[in-house]
Amino acid sequence: MPVRPAATEADLEAHLRGICFKTGPPRRLGVEIELLVHDARNPRCPVEPSRLHTAATALRALPLHSLLTFEPGGQLELSSLPATSLTACIDSVAADLALVRPAMRAMGLGLAGHGHNPWHAPHRILTDPRYDAMESYFDRWGGAGRAMMCATASVQVCVDAGYEEPGPLGYGRRWLLAHLLGAVLAAAFANSPTSEGCPTGYRTTRQVVWSQLDPDRTLAPPQEADPRAAWARYVLDAPVMCLRSENGPWDAPQGLTFREWIRTGLPRTPTQEDLDYHVTTLFPPVRPRGHLELRMIDAQAGDGGWIVPLAVTAALFDDPEATETAYRIVKPLAETAGSRPAPRNPLWRRAARGALTDPELHAAAVACFAAAQEALPRLGASPAVRAAVADFTERYVARGRCPADDHLDALYAGEADPAYAADAPDVTEPPAGGRIPWKDIQ
């Protein structure tokens, strides 16, 4: 709850500028892994809230290094501590998962890596005031808000903002790189082609869900010469989602922006803590929180599926040679993206629907993955990590495929898909329309 005295608009804008890009040599790396929780014997059977609450209590007793939380629909999330190397980050999270997975199995629960729940309609389990307010807010945009909260999962990679000065590792260059490379990463790791057992017409349904939400808090800020100013303006002009209260609901007056809240002081005067909390309710594809939080990668199948997107992203951001190469590769994609913000621009729309079947995205992915593979030894990546990236590149990227294509192949062939715990829907052809009943990306 608010504890500091109220601040002026200028004070709060200065605060935002001071915390959004903390510059310096890129040294730290982090990852947040979200996984869907399902019944181990029958993934199609929804897990009762009581089982999830019991599991949460048991998991929080484990000696984990990562922060363990649960999303509104019961998705499990592990957030690593900032690591000083790719190897340290992988080792820490892998050790935590080695404790979490068997503990879940002992309770009859499994963890699945899908960008969007392939089995169930969205169903909220957590009833915190934050999520009550969030659901009420997003319901104004239709059903995509509940799908985002309760049915999506991702691999979010966190990299340092970079140097203050211009250059390959400067924060301005890395900010632009993240928004162009982000479409390539979304396409390469697309892993959510179905919803409630049916193809949606997209390789990454999760990305479509995000594109359907409130544009004032889920689209990227304008690409401007001064990213700090653009971000501060974006934050202050975004509608307030939650007004925290000791008693009663957290709902905010409809249409109230944080800037208007500061200027009017109604329904109460906001504080710096209110502003910091407001930032946690903004969900652009790249979020600057001192570091850069890349939020566009679908959750991946397998015990170590998260390692490949982490390694590739780290290589392309933190190795100077690979960063320069990646920037030259993706810079021409800005013409395809146009002036509209991600993820609603043509580049990101192509990534969501066709993934690497799109020739431009495929060519960029092939070149970027090659640069990442060359950089991984320089980052000290283990032979196992390098082999995993090489295998993913050969299996998917080189062939213009993504993990979603495996699921669709099995679905249309009427075969059991191992990634779906041998529980693929029993169909042999796409349903009429071939997509979820959400409107197309605008």
Side-chain angles (χ1 to χ4, degrees):
M1 292 299 114
V3 294
R4 297 183 189 174
T8 67
E9 184 175 340
D11 290 338
L12 293 176
E13 183 170 354
H15 171 66
L16 286 170
R17 287 170 172 261
I19 65 172
C20 57
F21 297 95
K22 296 182 179 178
T23 54
R27 291 174 177 164
R28 297 179 301 172
L29 179 70
V31 67
E32 300 174 16
I33 302 169
E34 296 172 343
L35 295 164
L36 304 177
V37 178
H38 62 84
D39 184 270
R41 291 188 295 180
N42 183 6
R44 288 177 175 170
C45 180
V47 178
E48 298 86 354
S50 60
R51 293 180 69 190
L52 284 170
H53 291 310
T54 299
T57 300
L59 294 180
R60 290 188 177 114
L62 297 175
L64 304 177
H65 297 93
S66 305
L67 174 65
L68 183 141
T69 55
F70 284 84
E71 295 296 304
Q75 309 97 306
L76 182 148
E77 179 176 330
L78 283 176
S79 303
S80 75
L81 296 175
T84 56
S85 70
L86 173 61
T87 298
C89 186
I90 291 173
D91 288 349
S92 175
V93 176
D96 287 343
L97 284 169
L99 295 176
V100 168
R101 288 187 184 277
M104 293 290 279
R105 284 196 296 269
M107 292 179 281
L109 299 172
L111 298 173
H114 304 291
H116 188 278
N117 194 314
W119 305 294
H120 312 132
H123 175 68
R124 186 159 64 96
I125 292 173
L126 300 187
T127 57
D128 297 352
R130 171 185 172 94
Y131 297 127
D132 291 342
M134 184 179 292
E135 182 176 271
S136 175
Y137 181 93
F138 279 129
D139 276 351
R140 302 167 194 166
W141 280 266
R146 297 191 182 206
M148 178 276 287
M149 294 172 63
C150 304
T152 62
S154 67
V155 176
Q156 297 179 18
V157 181
C158 300
V159 297
D160 276 336
Y163 287 100
E164 185 73 26
E165 300 79 13
L169 297 180
Y171 81 94
R173 170 80 71 86
R174 288 161 74 84
W175 179 242
L176 177 58
L177 173 65
H179 287 88
L180 294 175
L181 180 61
V184 179
L185 296 174
F189 296 108
N191 189 38
S192 52
T194 62
S195 175
E196 297 183 60
C198 295
T200 65
Y202 299 90
R203 262 72 171 190
T204 167
T205 301
R206 175 181 169 273
Q207 199 60 58
V208 178
V209 168
W210 282 105
S211 73
Q212 299 292 330
L213 301 175
D214 172 15
D216 290 323
R217 67 184 344 101
T218 59
L219 299 187
Q223 290 291 331
E224 297 181 2
D226 185 352
R228 288 192 176 99
W231 176 249
R233 187 165 56 253
Y234 177 92
V235 172
L236 293 179
D237 290 337
V240 178
M241 176 183 286
C242 304
L243 272 179
R244 294 176 296 165
S245 171
E246 294 287 354
N247 301 298
W250 287 15
D251 295 334
Q254 187 168 346
L256 176 70
T257 69
F258 203 95
R259 193 185 302 278
E260 291 167 340
W261 189 13
I262 298 169
R263 292 177 177 179
T264 64
L266 298 173
R268 62 169 174 78
T269 305
T271 67
Q272 183 175 305
E273 280 76 11
D274 288 314
L275 180 62
D276 292 339
Y277 193 85
H278 174 63
V279 170
T280 72
T281 70
L282 305 178
F283 309 109
V286 184
R287 186 163 60 178
R289 305 189 69 182
H291 56 274
L292 302 182
E293 183 182 77
L294 280 69
R295 305 172 50 84
M296 71 289 298
I297 300 172
D298 280 357
Q300 301 293 296
D303 288 355
W306 55 276
I307 293 175
V308 175
L310 171 62
V312 169
T313 305
L316 296 177
F317 272 87
D318 290 350
D319 178 81
E321 184 177 338
T323 297
E324 181 63 26
T325 300
Y327 182 73
R328 291 199 305 268
I329 293 166
V330 303
K331 189 176 180 181
L333 299 180
E335 184 174 346
T336 300
S339 60
R340 299 186 71 180
R344 287 193 179 181
N345 65 47
L347 178 67
W348 285 68
R349 289 171 61 187
R350 291 182 187 181
R353 185 180 294 277
L356 296 190
T357 64
D358 179 85
E360 191 175 30
L361 286 166
H362 179 221
V366 168
C368 284
F369 272 69
Q373 288 182 273
E374 292 178 3
L376 285 172
R378 296 193 292 267
L379 293 182
S382 70
V385 170
R386 301 201 302 270
V389 173
D391 289 346
F392 187 96
T393 303
E394 180 180 357
R395 180 177 180 181
Y396 297 115
V397 179
R399 300 168 61 198
R401 291 174 61 85
C402 63
D405 291 310
D406 287 350
H407 304 321
L408 292 173
D409 288 349
L411 184 69
Y412 295 156
E415 298 172 353
D417 186 344
Y420 281 72
D423 204 61
D426 184 18
V427 300
T428 56
E429 60 183 19
R435 60 161 49 108
I436 47 180
W438 300 324
K439 62 183 183 296
D440 288 341
I441 303 176
Q442 300 299 314

